[in-house]
Amino acid sequence: MSQSDLRELISRPDYSEEDKKLIKKAYEFAEKAHERQLRNSGDPYFNHVLATAEILNGLGMDACTVAAGLLHDTIEDTQVTELDVKLEFGNEVLFLVNGVTKLGSVRFRGTKRHIESLRKLFIATSDDVRVLIIKLADRLHNMRTLEHVDKDKQERIAAETMEVYAPIAHRLNMGAVKGELEDLAFPYLYPDEHKQTLELASEQYGKSELVLEKINTRLIEELQKAKILYTSTDYRRKHLWSLYRKLKRKDMDISRVYDISALRVIVNGQTECYQVLGIIHSIWRPLPGRIKDYVAFPKPNGYQSIHTTIFTGEGGLAEVQIRTEKMHAQAEYGIASHFQFKNKENSTGGSWSGDWIKRLLKKTTAEYQNAKTPVWIEQMTSVQADSTSPKEFMNNLKDDFFRQRIFAFTPKGDVIDLPSGSTSIDFGYQVHTDLGDHISGAKINGKLSNLATVLNNGDIVEIITSPKSKPSQKWLAMAVTAFAKRRIRSSLQSDKNN
Ligand code: MN
């Protein structure tokens, strides 16, 4: 380890002198604590915690989180005690390190103990989402170095990554982390499919990018002519796992995948998104039915962008994605980027030439603590706090993670994020528990509808209530979400007891 790693770590202009001191101290403390410990690869153990801290630093996390990243394995794996960390670094860093330590080795698959660990993960997260972000960074580095782990453990770790950590990264809208975790796990879980996908893709990347380059050149000319402010135009390659899943749906026919590479246009503001779309469609004919406006209608995890597929004029199709700088940061770094843009207006920070974000902004610890825990995490913890069995908890978790989601709207236009198959009962509970408890009917798109009717994407749902209505067994059968079912069950239970 060298001083240059440390210098790099504290080079962010948004760090105060105090922040830098904290990180420097944690760096030296961790280096000493892990002295002479080695990883499976033969590298010094300290390399792992440093890499974890570097990932957190790159995500733009605050100094306490970066310090906790450096210290995250000290209590578990060295002589260092909780008291040591508290005395040296204070309560906040201790809280984060403890959070990560308590999660221990969260293992997926099977035994009750593992699922208990997973429960803890969600409880810790609902206190402070930074604990989970540290855990994700830790896992990311462990996946990057998985080749050094015993063969018989690799598959289990890869499966856990695919089934637990990647979905969590997805729900936090951390697209870059999710994509990398999945791609790292892919070859351990499906070696043959991985090889096949890689072969198919590597042939296609070149072809596809040649076309994108031509489109890009022409587009830049037009943007300049129209004086549209844009930050960058760039290609992105589809992540391999995500490509594989799409190929499976297309009989492994790669010529039917249009977005293996896509042109990505980053513009200054939301208005420019639509202007650029207009320019693109006036030059290249769009493929009908493939224009997706996730700016007006964000995905449930908050993803925003406009996607369109165009005829390239050379017999092929290409995908273009248009978004603002902020939408881009949110899509790649999700909940972490949220903190960075929060104070944009008040920022006095200098510029930092990280690879993805132009300006990192000064943020305070209080902001992290006051940041609202995502609704799904709150619900997850309340589901688990119920006396459900570990198996049921796991099912709830997997269900809510893996089902397709839909958006429905309140009459005021609030977007409600639900798993597909949801009914007005689920919708009502999602809006407000009180509303759910007193549903007497529902209007879907202005028409009175049966409560059992399955909602479609984009439905406007008006819940009609009556003080006399209350949950029944029938509702239980109509509800899909774990949250609504739990509320209905507990209401039925308390009726029985009275
Ligand atoms: Mn670790």
Side-chain angles (χ1 to χ4, degrees):
M1 286 310 96
S2 66
Q3 286 302 304
S4 72
D5 292 317
L6 175 60
R7 268 201 305 277
E8 177 74 37
L9 206 55
I10 56 178
S11 67
R12 265 169 43 187
D14 62 313
Y15 283 146
S16 66
E17 284 310 311
E18 213 176 302
D19 290 340
K20 290 181 192 174
K21 245 188 239 162
L22 178 73
I23 294 171
K24 182 166 185 278
K25 195 170 164 191
Y27 181 102
E28 285 159 0
F29 187 94
E31 193 173 27
K32 187 151 188 299
H34 292 292
E35 208 174 16
R36 285 191 288 276
Q37 283 180 352
L38 297 178
R39 302 197 87 209
N40 289 321
S41 60
D43 279 354
Y45 196 91
F46 179 69
N47 284 12
H48 164 64
V49 297
L50 176 59
T52 304
E54 282 168 344
I55 292 167
L56 293 166
N57 189 56
L59 288 169
M61 300 304 292
D62 65 323
C64 273
T65 306
V66 174
L70 284 161
L71 300 168
H72 82 268
D73 282 327
T74 52
I75 293 177
E76 195 169 7
D77 297 339
T78 75
Q79 304 295 317
V80 171
T81 64
E82 285 187 27
L83 189 62
D84 295 333
V85 175
K86 182 179 167 150
L87 292 175
E88 293 287 327
F89 301 98
N91 278 326
E92 189 180 348
V93 172
L94 174 64
F95 171 82
L96 294 172
V97 174
N98 258 345
V100 178
T101 307
K102 278 182 196 147
L103 302 179
S105 54
V106 172
R107 286 182 186 163
F108 175 69
R109 287 200 160 173
T111 74
K112 194 170 169 173
R113 207 180 69 86
H114 297 155
I115 290 163
E116 285 302 327
S117 312
L118 200 59
R119 288 182 164 192
K120 284 185 199 150
L121 185 135
F122 285 104
I123 293 165
T125 305
S126 65
D127 287 340
D128 191 325
V129 77
R130 289 179 298 175
V131 171
L132 191 51
I133 295 175
I134 298 170
K135 196 73 194 161
L136 284 172
D138 172 43
R139 174 54 59 118
L140 187 55
H141 184 250
N142 284 335
M143 287 304 294
R144 286 177 185 169
T145 50
L146 191 61
E147 59 183 307
H148 303 294
V149 171
D150 293 344
K151 288 270 175 290
D152 57 320
K153 285 190 193 157
Q154 286 174 338
E155 199 188 325
R156 179 187 60 74
I157 295 171
E160 179 183 274
T161 298
M162 196 69 105
E163 308 238 13
V164 177
Y165 288 93
I168 288 171
H170 177 62
R171 295 310 300 267
L172 298 178
N173 196 15
M174 300 173 81
V177 174
K178 168 194 178 265
E180 190 179 344
L181 286 174
E182 287 173 344
D183 283 2
L184 289 166
F186 186 12
Y188 294 98
L189 297 175
Y190 308 97
D192 296 340
E193 290 83 349
H194 178 259
K195 195 163 163 259
Q196 189 193 3
T197 308
L198 200 60
E199 276 166 14
L200 285 171
S202 45
E203 282 172 29
Q204 207 65 26
Y205 282 141
K207 279 188 222 165
S208 146
E209 279 156 28
L210 219 62
V211 175
L212 288 183
E213 204 176 300
K214 278 192 197 166
I215 294 176
N216 190 28
T217 311
R218 173 82 198 274
L219 180 63
I220 289 175
E221 279 171 27
E222 296 295 329
L223 292 179
Q224 285 167 347
K225 244 190 261 169
K227 297 199 166 53
I228 288 178
L229 299 170
Y230 67 96
T231 309
S232 68
T233 64
D234 205 351
Y235 321 129
R236 75 102 182 91
R237 286 182 176 186
K238 198 174 185 65
H239 280 287
L240 215 59
W241 171 250
S242 139
L243 175 62
Y244 166 66
R245 292 210 314 179
K246 195 163 216 176
L247 277 170
K248 266 207 318 198
R249 296 197 299 270
K250 312 259 178 193
D251 309 314
M252 299 306 280
D253 179 358
I254 199 150
S255 68
R256 288 167 63 198
V257 178
Y258 308 133
D259 63 342
I260 173 159
S261 307
L263 187 64
R264 200 173 259 167
V265 186
I266 316 272
V267 295
N268 285 35
Q270 195 163 314
T271 315
E272 283 85 355
C273 288
Y274 295 101
Q275 286 174 333
V276 171
L277 183 71
I279 289 176
I280 288 170
H281 285 178
S282 70
I283 307 172
W284 298 279
R285 199 155 57 83
L287 182 64
R290 294 274 306 195
I291 306 159
K292 291 176 193 147
D293 185 353
Y294 300 120
V295 171
F297 300 104
K299 287 191 183 182
N301 67 2
Y303 176 85
Q304 284 191 295
S305 202
I306 294 174
H307 294 188
T308 182
T309 303
I310 53 171
F311 290 93
T312 60
E314 300 187 10
L317 290 155
E319 182 170 298
V320 186
Q321 303 178 349
I322 311 159
R323 51 175 76 159
T324 65
E325 202 179 304
K326 180 173 169 179
M327 291 169 196
H328 183 56
Q330 281 175 344
E332 297 285 299
Y333 302 100
I335 196 153
S337 76
H338 168 79
F339 300 115
Q340 288 150 15
F341 280 91
K342 212 167 167 185
N343 267 359
K344 193 155 187 164
E345 297 76 32
N346 318 335
S347 165
T348 51
S351 77
W352 178 60
S353 55
D355 61 343
W356 63 280
I357 193 166
K358 295 276 152 52
R359 285 174 295 281
L360 271 166
L361 305 150
K362 185 67 199 140
K363 52 212 167 287
T364 63
T365 305
E367 265 180 65
Y368 281 100
Q369 284 165 346
N370 296 335
K372 207 174 155 344
T373 306
V375 174
W376 67 271
I377 289 178
E378 276 173 14
Q379 291 181 353
M380 215 55 99
T381 40
S382 75
V383 166
Q384 72 78 37
D386 205 17
S387 59
T388 48
S389 70
K391 189 161 183 242
E392 212 174 312
F393 169 73
M394 197 62 216
N395 288 341
N396 286 336
L397 180 72
K398 288 198 74 175
D399 273 7
D400 282 350
F401 269 158
F402 294 113
R403 286 205 192 155
Q404 288 280 325
R405 312 290 294 188
I406 59 155
F407 323 102
F409 298 83
T410 67
K412 282 186 191 156
D414 290 333
V415 181
I416 305 299
D417 154 25
L418 294 162
S420 63
S422 291
T423 61
S424 301
I425 301 277
D426 298 296
F427 183 94
Y429 276 103
Q430 195 77 12
V431 175
H432 198 279
T433 316
D434 259 352
L435 188 71
D437 281 338
H438 297 101
I439 298 174
S440 65
K443 279 185 181 173
I444 302 176
N445 303 322
K447 269 201 241 153
L448 265 178
S449 307
N450 192 309
L451 285 177
T453 304
V454 170
L455 298 177
N456 288 311
N457 222 353
D459 279 346
I460 299 168
V461 184
E462 186 185 344
I463 299 294
I464 302 159
T465 57
S466 136
K468 276 182 254 158
S469 289
K470 58 180 188 178
S472 66
Q473 283 293 341
K474 254 194 195 162
W475 287 19
L476 201 53
M478 292 188 267
V480 167
T481 52
F483 184 63
K485 281 178 185 285
R486 174 181 160 268
R487 286 291 313 181
I488 297 165
R489 266 199 210 104
S490 80
S491 168
L492 292 174
Q493 194 61 41
S494 69
D495 276 359
K496 227 198 262 170
N497 296 343
N498 287 337

